[in-house]
Amino acid sequence: RIAASASDSSTESELEAVEKAAESLDTKDTITVLLTMIEIRYAQRRLDDAERLARKILDLEPGELRTHSALLDLATAQRDVDKVRRCAEMIGDVAGQASPQARVARALTLALDVRLSREKVLGPDVVPPPLSAVERESLEEARRNLMEAENDRPGWYQIQQTYAEIDGLRGDVPAAIGHLQKAIEQGASNPAIKQLLATLLLQTGRL
């Protein structure tokens, strides 16, 4: 965590040394170290480095589900819907298309696609138009995926985060707040999630 907030050359050298040392460990321990480094690089917004580390893990163990999920998070942060879609398909191949992980990944893909399509027609001073019929159906399909995922894996914070994303696109701020609060209660630790919740609470005069 300290390394994630530092950017000096000595810290960078230490991270490189850790990555190098991990190569001499057994496969399980190597993967554990590299997954931790992916979190650090993500926190530093070094997304290309994080992706490189993920690919390194998959060279060792192609079916490592946590790593495929990390790649999905990275693609989402890069706002690359085609890459998100490919990651979602791979998660389905690894975990099963009916798995909670695959359903949430598909929901994320649908929500990001809607978000990007709306941003293309909006300027900074433009009031968002109503959702189109296609967009409404995409978000409804995303919700169906989340409901099925929640039936199989209740208490998973990623489901609540994705519900909040859909609520935001629908303009339902109170529902988004509720889902974000539930995500944090269930263990979500991403600072961006907490910041978004604080922003929405301020906007609605609840903070």
Side-chain angles (χ1 to χ4, degrees):
R1 301 301 178 189
I2 294 172
S5 63
S7 59
D8 58 61
S9 58
S10 62
T11 298
E12 189 61 32
S13 297
E14 290 170 4
L15 287 172
E16 291 173 0
V18 169
E19 181 180 345
K20 182 67 176 176
E23 296 174 1
S24 63
L25 302 175
D26 62 46
T27 299
K28 181 179 178 181
D29 289 340
T30 297
I31 289 172
T32 298
V33 171
L34 294 181
L35 282 169
T36 300
M37 292 193 67
I38 288 172
E39 292 183 12
I40 292 171
R41 292 308 194 187
Y42 186 94
Q44 293 175 322
R45 308 306 292 174
R46 298 274 294 271
L47 302 185
D48 288 343
D49 276 336
E51 184 171 346
R52 175 183 60 78
L53 292 165
R55 300 296 178 191
K56 200 170 183 178
I57 293 173
L58 295 180
D59 285 342
L60 296 172
E61 191 171 321
E64 217 293 312
L65 184 57
R66 293 169 298 175
T67 306
H68 286 291
S69 296
L71 284 171
L72 177 71
D73 290 340
L74 291 168
T76 302
Q78 293 165 334
R79 297 162 61 82
D80 186 332
V81 71
D82 291 330
K83 187 183 286 188
V84 169
R85 187 174 289 109
R86 290 194 297 272
C87 290
E89 290 170 356
M90 183 58 68
I91 288 172
D93 290 342
V94 172
Q97 297 299 334
S99 67
Q101 294 91 337
R103 294 190 189 283
V104 170
R106 287 196 292 273
L108 280 168
T109 304
L110 290 161
L112 180 60
D113 197 22
V114 171
R115 178 168 294 283
L116 294 180
S117 70
R118 289 178 68 73
E119 287 181 359
K120 286 179 182 177
V121 299
L122 294 178
D125 301 319
V126 176
V127 176
L131 291 164
S132 69
V134 172
E135 290 169 340
R136 288 196 302 273
E137 176 53 34
S138 290
L139 294 181
E140 189 54 40
E141 182 181 347
R143 281 186 60 84
R144 288 194 295 269
N145 273 285
L146 293 178
M147 291 171 66
E148 292 173 1
E150 194 168 21
N151 287 337
D152 291 336
R153 190 174 173 179
W156 186 23
Y157 65 83
Q158 183 66 62
I159 295 171
Q160 302 303 320
Q161 288 181 198
T162 311
Y163 271 131
E165 172 71 11
I166 293 169
D167 292 331
L169 288 165
R170 287 175 158 175
D172 190 345
V173 175
I177 288 173
H179 284 301
L180 289 173
Q181 290 173 327
K182 196 169 183 179
I184 292 170
E185 290 170 3
Q186 292 176 350
S189 58
N190 187 338
I193 296 299
K194 296 178 180 179
Q195 179 61 49
L196 176 58
L197 175 59
T199 299
L200 294 179
L201 288 170
L202 281 171
Q203 289 177 353
T204 55
R206 294 168 59 181
L207 184 66

